[in-house]
Amino acid sequence: MQIGELAAATGLSRDTLRFYEARGLLTARRRGNGYRDYPPEAVEWLCYLRTAQALGFTLAEIEAGMPLLQDPATSGAELRAALERKLADIDARIAGLTELRAGLAQRLAEPLDACPLRTPTSGLSAAA
């Protein structure tokens, strides 16, 4: 399958396919005329890759876990563990953002004439 056919089958641009190939996420044979020749399973692989990205995995994470995605039918338990780790990471980020939001809301609740970036002095005079 040539690059244009793969682009049409996946909805990805040719530049994106070349980028994935440069990163080692996609492989193609070169024909005698220099054209790329992708195997038919590249379509399914790219669907897995895009799904992983949509679920928050970075390309670096996908590259590190690439053997897991190459044969998902036999790697279900390992893929599930990767998804559980990603979920835990997202939960930790949400907790951090919730804490940050609470701090910002607390600062905004202070009187309008107070500088919201100053540490509350609780009892010290303003001239000190």
Side-chain angles (χ1 to χ4, degrees), residues 7 10-11 13 21-22 34 36 59 64 75 81-82 91 94-95 97-98 101 109 113 115 121 124:
T10 60
S13 71
E21 188 176 350
R36 292 173 171 86
L59 285 180
S75 305
D91 286 342
I94 288 171
L97 287 171
T98 300
R101 186 192 186 290
D113 60 339
C115 175
T121 54
L124 295 178

Side-chain angles (χ1 to χ4, degrees), residues 1-119:
M1 169 180 319
Q2 291 184 1
I3 194 166
E5 296 168 314
L6 185 58
T10 60
L12 299 171
S13 71
R14 293 171 189 225
D15 287 340
T16 299
L17 296 174
R18 288 183 192 108
F19 174 75
Y20 288 155
E21 188 176 350
R23 294 232 13 193
L25 291 165
L26 182 62
T27 56
R29 291 181 298 130
R30 290 289 184 158
R31 293 181 174 180
N33 59 7
Y35 289 4
R36 292 173 171 86
D37 184 31
Y38 296 95
E41 58 271 9
V43 174
E44 185 179 13
W45 161 246
L46 289 165
C47 287
Y48 283 118
L49 185 134
R50 297 301 282 185
T51 299
Q53 284 186 299
L55 291 172
F57 288 89
T58 65
L59 285 180
E61 290 170 325
I62 294 167
E63 288 167 342
M66 206 162 93
L68 300 177
L69 293 176
Q70 282 181 340
D71 190 9
T74 61
S75 305
E78 293 176 68
L79 284 169
R80 180 173 283 286
L83 292 174
E84 288 170 351
R85 285 190 303 273
K86 180 54 76 175
L87 183 60
D89 178 50
I90 290 170
D91 286 342
R93 289 172 30 200
I94 288 171
L97 287 171
T98 300
E99 187 177 315
L100 177 61
R101 186 192 186 290
L104 287 170
Q106 180 182 4
R107 295 296 175 119
L108 287 171
E110 293 177 3
L112 288 176
D113 60 339
C115 175
L117 297 180
R118 253 195 203 145
T119 305

